[in-house]
Amino acid sequence: MRVIMTLTPDSEWDDDEVSERLMRGLRSDLVSLDVDSVGPVVAGPAPAGSKGADPVTLGAIVVAMSASGGVFTTVVGAVRDWLDRHGGRHKITLSIDGDTIELERATAAQQQDLVDAYVRRHSAG
């Protein structure tokens, strides 16, 4: 299973250096989990005639993991914990095969309802 995560920092914190620091912290949290890999999202080749493009989508990472064993649930929990630990109105978007959920500050009950439904759709079994 591959999950693409995109971090959108609070608009008051919208600075490339701060955004990169936030992303490094999130990546660090995810690497410590039982996932296969955590890496940058690499864009396709630049269109013909373009002056070049950044091959890495900034603020986005791909997390590869087993679809079984509850790893996905653990990853989503880690993302929620990360959001809870950081001030501001940051948002993290998770996408699996075009199915997307946006996590941001919300009540615990609101987040749990959304996460439970999303995890059920993408958990093995």
Side-chain angles (χ1 to χ4, degrees), residues 82-99:
W82 185 92
L83 283 167
D84 287 343
R85 287 193 318 268
H86 290 80
R89 299 193 46 85
H90 308 301
K91 176 175 52 176
I92 298 177
T93 304
L94 286 75
S95 296
I96 301 172
D97 296 329
D99 186 15

Side-chain angles (χ1 to χ4, degrees), residues 40-59:
V41 173
V42 179
S50 70
K51 293 189 178 203
D54 185 357
V56 176
T57 302
L58 297 177

Side-chain angles (χ1 to χ4, degrees), residues 14-97:
D14 197 11
D15 171 286
D16 287 342
E17 187 176 316
V18 171
S19 297
E20 178 59 27
R21 189 176 29 197
L22 289 169
M23 183 54 81
R24 278 194 315 266
L26 177 59
R27 269 194 305 251
S28 176
D29 285 4
L30 295 170
V31 166
S32 70
L33 302 176
D34 187 24
V35 296
D36 297 334
S37 65
V38 178
V41 173
V42 179
S50 70
K51 293 189 178 203
D54 185 357
V56 176
T57 302
L58 297 177
I61 55 177
V62 176
V63 180
M65 69 194 89
S66 169
S68 62
V71 177
F72 180 58
T73 304
T74 302
V75 167
V76 173
V79 169
R80 289 180 59 206
D81 290 345
W82 185 92
L83 283 167
D84 287 343
R85 287 193 318 268
H86 290 80
R89 299 193 46 85
H90 308 301
K91 176 175 52 176
I92 298 177
T93 304
L94 286 75
S95 296
I96 301 172
D97 296 329

